[in-house]
Amino acid sequence: MSKVTLEKVAKVYSNGFKAVHDIDLEIQDGEFMVMIGPSGCAKSTTLRMLAGLETISGGHVRIGNDVVNNLAPKDRGIAMVFQNYALYPHMTVRENLGFGLKLAKVPADQIEKQVNEAAEMLELMPLMDRLPRQLSGGQAQRVAVGRAIVKRPNVFLFDEPLSNLDAKLRASMRVRISDLHKQLKSSNRSATTVYVTHDQTEAMTMGDRICVMKEGVIMQVDTPANLYKYPKNLFVAGFIGAPEMNMIAASFSELADGCLNVDFGEFGLCLNASKSEKVKKKAVANDVTLGIRPEFIHLAEEQSAKDQLVKGTIVRMENMGSEYYVYFLVGGQELCARIQTSIVEEKLLDASGKEQLFFFDMAQSHVFDRKTEENLSL
């Protein structure tokens, strides 16, 4: 069993700085968990505590049913893949793959079998007699992953393994690692994986679940779809998604029918009954932040609901191929809408500097408490 559990895990350095704040996290057997957050949020520190490369200041780390706080890295049943590959430069690919098993005094025939099995999985057989300096970045990273597979660990740990690769290779390795995880899982081998990255594309496409961290605190743990659709707070809402969610300082007022109007500048946008009830139950004050993703802002049409229209001045448009990012000013604040290219070419060419009505799909909006940053509309 390869379940990983962090119970009130903390990290305090000798100067008194608390990097990790009593976090709880449960990673299921066979799960692919991605840890993501900005630089300095302690995601790599948390991974290194799990690996045994950093001491734990408080709490417990369990792998399976065993508390591993005081176990050496080699005794934890983990294999780690680093950002810089960490291959031995004087050893061939074959020797690099088998070196850990050789140190563990595994019989030579068993080493050969496990090395060849990993090499076939990662299409490394033609490279087995090359030295690391003769490999491309992608090939070297595949060898580093292969070295982890050969050990047949209980848990795989990845610390930003693709950040040194170019965009095309990153995409290729992303698919390869995801496929490898599925392959190990389908063959009933240990496949529990903890993967640290700052790249949200990697997180959204690879993770079964994602753990979002900020300043040593877990902000939210959920599936990629739920993180995107139902962010629990302002940080998660702004961190997940590109271009990021539009955030508008606003207040709300109650209408005669009991629904809420979200007011900013000269505009008031109506929330539906369900969202209005949720906001009213949770709100302490009426100072809020309205959040809406760019894909839920459209060009206004004749049938668009009048209580969900906003007039803005277009300042620039970025052609992304199949769509445009249309940036516009409302009351001095710049917002972004994602509009299909065909619509832009029909209605908005040479529109820079001109006023335009936009429809805000308020059913897809979020209302955050400005003080606590909690999502009131969930």
Side-chain angles (χ1 to χ4, degrees):
M1 181 172 171
S2 306
K3 181 178 175 181
V4 174
T5 310
L6 308 183
E7 300 170 350
K8 304 296 179 192
V9 170
K11 176 64 182 178
V12 183
Y13 288 101
S14 56
N15 63 1
F17 174 69
K18 192 165 188 177
V20 180
H21 296 259
D22 306 314
I23 62 173
D24 293 305
L25 181 64
E26 195 171 276
I27 303 163
Q28 298 302 323
D29 184 25
E31 185 174 23
F32 198 118
M33 174 67 75
V34 178
M35 303 186 77
I36 190 170
S39 296
C41 73
K43 55 189 183 294
S44 288
T45 301
T46 302
L47 190 80
R48 290 173 65 82
M49 286 195 289
L50 176 53
L53 302 176
E54 287 274 3
T55 56
I56 299 165
S57 304
H60 298 95
V61 174
R62 297 179 188 275
I63 297 178
N65 296 317
D66 301 321
V67 175
V68 299
N69 290 37
N70 299 316
L71 290 183
K74 66 181 178 64
D75 299 322
R76 295 192 179 199
I78 55 100
M80 193 158 181
V81 179
F82 297 93
Q83 179 179 345
N84 62 357
Y85 318 144
L87 302 180
Y88 298 105
H90 61 288
M91 293 184 184
T92 64
V93 168
R94 183 181 297 279
E95 289 167 337
N96 264 286
L97 290 172
F99 186 64
L101 298 180
K102 188 176 178 182
L103 284 180
K105 295 183 168 47
V106 175
D109 58 340
Q110 185 64 24
I111 292 176
E112 183 179 7
K113 178 184 176 184
Q114 291 178 217
V115 164
N116 287 342
E117 182 184 81
E120 285 173 6
M121 277 186 187
L122 292 163
E123 299 175 17
L124 291 172
M125 291 305 285
L127 310 175
M128 296 296 271
D129 296 320
R130 293 190 191 181
L131 294 170
R133 67 173 180 270
Q134 299 169 308
L135 303 175
S136 68
Q139 290 169 337
Q141 191 57 280
R142 277 155 55 198
V143 175
V145 173
R147 192 171 52 188
I149 293 170
V150 160
K151 291 178 68 176
R152 296 184 177 175
N154 295 322
V155 180
F156 291 93
L157 307 178
F158 290 85
D159 191 7
E160 303 206 31
L162 308 184
S163 57
N164 287 340
L165 304 180
D166 62 43
K168 187 174 181 181
L169 268 178
R170 273 204 308 274
S172 165
M173 282 300 297
R174 203 165 63 223
V175 172
R176 193 179 289 272
I177 291 172
S178 294
D179 287 347
L180 180 63
H181 177 258
K182 291 170 188 169
Q183 188 177 344
L184 290 172
K185 199 170 178 179
S186 65
S187 60
N188 292 320
R189 284 179 52 181
S190 292
T192 306
T193 301
V194 186
Y195 187 105
V196 163
T197 182
H198 62 270
D199 185 325
Q200 64 168 280
T201 302
E202 287 179 25
M204 296 295 282
T205 56
M206 298 174 76
D208 295 325
R209 287 191 300 156
I210 301 173
C211 171
V212 182
M213 293 188 71
K214 176 190 177 186
E215 297 175 354
V217 177
I218 292 176
M219 294 282 103
Q220 186 172 350
V221 182
D222 216 326
T223 64
N226 282 346
L227 279 180
Y228 191 81
K229 292 177 182 176
Y230 312 114
K232 285 187 176 179
N233 52 56
L234 265 175
F235 177 79
V236 175
F239 191 79
I240 299 293
E244 67 183 51
M245 184 183 288
N246 295 294
M247 302 293 188
I248 307 164
S251 60
F252 64 78
S253 54
E254 190 165 353
L255 300 173
D257 62 0
C259 289
L260 296 181
N261 225 38
V262 179
D263 306 307
F264 59 97
E266 61 184 283
F267 303 104
L269 303 176
C270 186
L271 290 177
N272 62 31
S274 173
K275 269 188 167 53
S276 294
E277 284 304 311
K278 289 173 182 175
V279 172
K280 283 191 285 187
K281 281 181 182 177
K282 296 181 182 178
V284 177
N286 72 343
D287 292 328
V288 295
T289 297
L290 173 66
I292 185 165
R293 295 203 181 275
E295 60 265 37
F296 300 124
I297 300 178
H298 313 286
L299 296 187
E301 298 178 353
E302 284 188 15
Q303 67 270 27
S304 298
K306 304 305 179 191
D307 58 3
Q308 297 192 19
L309 297 183
V310 171
K311 184 183 288 185
T313 303
I314 295 175
V315 290
R316 70 181 185 282
M317 297 189 293
E318 295 178 350
N319 186 348
M320 307 304 292
S322 62
E323 63 187 5
Y324 274 75
Y325 296 166
V326 178
Y327 295 89
F328 59 100
L329 286 176
V330 178
Q333 182 169 348
E334 186 174 280
L335 306 178
C336 177
R338 290 172 67 172
I339 311 290
Q340 287 183 356
T341 295
S342 58
I343 296 174
V344 170
E345 290 176 345
E346 179 186 349
K347 299 181 179 179
L348 286 185
L349 284 184
D350 302 319
S352 187
K354 297 179 182 177
E355 288 191 334
Q356 172 67 43
L357 270 178
F358 292 89
F359 169 71
F360 282 45
D361 184 355
M362 293 298 286
Q364 304 296 333
S365 68
H366 302 273
V367 180
F368 301 91
D369 186 290
R370 210 180 301 173
K371 188 173 182 180
T372 66
E373 300 191 351
E374 177 192 2
N375 191 341
L376 303 174
S377 49
L378 290 183

